[in-house]
Amino acid sequence: MLGTVIEEPVIIDGTLTVKDADDNLALVSGLNTIPAGTNIVAGTSAWGYKVNGGAYTAITAADASVHSSDEATMGGDITNISYGVSTSEDQAAGVYTDTIVFTATTK
């Protein structure tokens, strides 16, 4: 769910990846869409994610690494992932949704 915060510590000795659950990368509301993109600014319809305050990245259908570690840590190695959405003036109002998948793989 967009905006969900996971507050429990996660121990990862490996990789955390993110991807869209299907090949449609857009946020969808009926027949209306907001495309995945990196230009998240007022006046432009786009949505994306950023890691640790970096630049926005467009979601893809392939796994994209958002964290990698060679050592198990308990709460001391935090990765912040946030989502941004912007719309153009002609973007139709609606509830836009998509499903993303996070996968944690141990080494």
Side-chain angles (χ1 to χ4, degrees):
M1 179 176 176
L2 191 63
T4 300
V5 177
I6 301 172
E7 294 187 9
E8 295 298 317
V10 178
I11 301 171
I12 298 176
D13 176 11
T15 304
L16 179 65
T17 62
V18 63
K19 69 177 182 176
D20 199 286
D22 56 33
D23 289 331
N24 183 357
L25 309 179
L27 297 176
V28 178
S29 178
L31 297 176
N32 301 304
T33 62
I34 298 174
T38 58
N39 192 25
I40 316 297
V41 296
T44 303
S45 291
W47 81 279
Y49 70 94
K50 59 183 174 178
V51 180
N52 294 327
Y56 280 106
T57 301
I59 196 81
T60 66
D63 286 319
S65 179
V66 293
H67 180 87
S68 183
S69 176
D70 291 327
E71 297 179 13
T73 60
M74 183 61 171
D77 193 1
I78 297 171
T79 299
N80 293 300
I81 300 171
S82 57
Y83 298 89
V85 179
S86 61
T87 59
S88 63
E89 290 183 18
D90 62 348
Q91 184 72 49
V95 176
Y96 289 79
T97 62
D98 194 13
T99 302
I100 60 170
V101 177
F102 284 93
T103 303
T105 306
T106 60
K107 290 186 179 182

